[in-house]
Amino acid sequence: MPTEVKRALRTAAGWAANQAAMEALYGVDGYYTTMTAWEADNGGATSADLVTNDELVVLDCYNDWPSALVDNLQTFGFTTSATNNVTINVPQSERHEGTFSTGFRLHTNQYGVLFSPPNFSEVIGLSLRNLNSSGFGIKAQKASKLRNGLFRGSRGSNLSGNGTAGFEASAENCVFIATNASYAALDFGNYAYGAHRLQNSVCVNTAGASKGLDMRNRGTAIVENCYLSGWMKDGVTFTSVRNNAAANGSPPGTSPLTTVITSADFVNSASLDYHLAAGSALIDQGADLSGYFTDDFDGDTRAVPWDIGVDKYPAASGSAPIIGIALRGA
């Protein structure tokens, strides 16, 4: 069974304020003050080769930076597999509240460079914004999974199969934002392979309404229960594209919601808050995807009938904070 190497991303003051509890979870001095330092130290693992050393690496990110952690990490050097992988996790108690101005958030400023987690990784609850006017958000590569995240970049984000059939990336309960009218909020990658899976997510370009999700020439596609400001497709085989909604009332796939979706369907879409408003046309219009996951991006438990988008309406009350996660392959 792989050895788990678990560390925290905290300020020194945040660590010291709760040191005994932190050491019980992460070991003595088991924290880093930047993600760059954590990656450079192999995440605390024996080496960057997690496969040879049979290790799992976990980084729990804490909300110690009131105005976001600014860190220009670009790519990660880990060697991974399906059972020896990396998880970047924001515990529920430290996580965004559905907006880019709450909880732990990571800001970077990279021209045309993607925050690109390792193959087979999971990124859970992360709020990431690329501040560069020509920067991308996140690139999820071979068999990696994004869950309950917020990703914003001028040139959008990317799910990539890395050119290998059967190793597609996925995203659940995520918001993808682009601000350059020439780019989609989310692109399904540059490869012919790829049944990339996008479920209960939101893809919006705030400058070009038609540039929500780009599925063109990307092999197959699984897109379910999503809200898209617009979409582009050709040369795509729909493995399962259903129960989606769009700003123009003409979403892709089967069982579409043909209602035109407006700002009134959300709490505050002008501020990129995609919680569902009372009376939203998206409520109760989704397919049951409990075979994949059962929560929304706030950590609330979904119930049948499912809603379209990242939010379950109404929100559950009294949800208990969660510290840590169940690991794949553990």
Side-chain angles (χ1 to χ4, degrees):
M1 180 175 292
T3 300
E4 176 187 295
V5 181
K6 194 172 184 178
R7 296 292 184 263
L9 184 64
R10 302 218 66 168
T11 61
W15 178 269
N18 199 18
Q19 187 166 342
M22 290 291 98
E23 289 182 351
L25 286 170
Y26 306 106
V28 176
D29 294 327
Y31 75 102
Y32 298 87
T33 58
T34 67
M35 199 174 289
T36 299
W38 166 79
E39 194 276 340
D41 195 37
N42 305 315
T46 304
S47 75
D49 189 343
L50 305 184
V51 178
T52 298
N53 293 292
D54 196 20
E55 292 174 314
L56 293 162
V57 166
V58 181
L59 180 68
D60 283 343
C61 305
Y62 285 80
N63 186 24
D64 290 351
W65 293 268
S67 299
L69 170 62
V70 178
D71 196 352
N72 283 334
L73 182 66
Q74 300 174 24
T75 57
F76 299 78
F78 298 97
T79 299
T80 58
S81 69
T83 54
N84 302 105
N85 45 56
V86 173
T87 298
I88 298 172
N89 174 59
V90 182
Q92 192 72 53
S93 59
E94 310 298 312
R95 195 173 295 179
H96 64 79
E97 297 171 6
T99 67
F100 285 88
S101 60
T102 57
F104 172 81
R105 49 203 185 276
L106 180 66
H107 286 179
T108 188
N109 189 356
Q110 291 288 339
Y111 172 81
V113 176
L114 301 164
F115 179 92
S116 188
N119 296 339
F120 304 102
S121 62
E122 290 194 15
V123 179
I124 305 171
L126 179 65
S127 177
L128 170 65
R129 181 180 179 187
N130 192 332
L131 301 172
N132 193 286
S133 61
S134 296
F136 291 91
I138 193 166
K139 179 178 181 179
Q141 299 194 85
K142 181 178 175 181
S144 57
K145 178 187 289 187
L146 309 178
R147 299 194 67 247
N148 301 18
L150 306 175
F151 306 104
R152 181 179 179 183
S154 174
R155 298 165 72 175
S157 295
N158 183 281
L159 295 185
S160 170
N162 212 26
T164 306
F167 291 96
E168 296 80 13
S170 65
E172 304 163 354
N173 296 328
C174 291
V175 175
F176 298 94
I177 302 294
T179 58
N180 184 319
S182 297
Y183 293 86
L186 182 66
D187 190 322
F188 267 9
N190 300 316
Y191 304 103
Y193 301 119
H196 301 311
R197 179 167 57 87
L198 180 70
Q199 295 168 313
N200 277 99
S201 293
V202 168
C203 300
V204 171
N205 187 312
T206 59
S210 66
K211 300 282 189 170
L213 174 64
D214 190 342
M215 300 184 289
R216 292 176 294 180
N217 300 313
R218 305 301 189 252
T220 55
I222 298 171
V223 183
E224 301 170 314
N225 294 356
C226 294
Y227 168 67
L228 316 171
S229 66
W231 63 283
M232 296 147 285
K233 71 95 180 173
D234 59 60
V236 176
T237 301
F238 288 167
T239 300
S240 181
V241 178
R242 57 177 175 154
N243 293 81
N244 297 301
N248 64 1
S250 182
T254 60
S255 302
L257 180 62
T258 57
T259 303
V260 173
I261 303 302
T262 70
S263 60
D265 290 292
F266 303 104
V267 168
N268 192 346
S269 59
S271 297
L272 307 182
D273 183 347
Y274 289 97
H275 287 96
L276 298 182
S280 172
L282 302 171
I283 295 171
D284 294 346
Q285 298 302 309
D288 181 354
L289 302 182
S290 56
Y292 289 99
F293 57 98
T294 57
D295 62 346
D296 75 352
F297 77 155
D298 294 318
D300 296 330
T301 301
R302 293 185 182 270
V304 177
W306 279 42
D307 302 327
I308 292 175
V310 291
D311 184 33
K312 169 196 172 293
Y313 184 89
S317 60
S319 298
I322 300 171
I323 297 180
I325 54 172
L327 292 177
R328 300 178 304 179

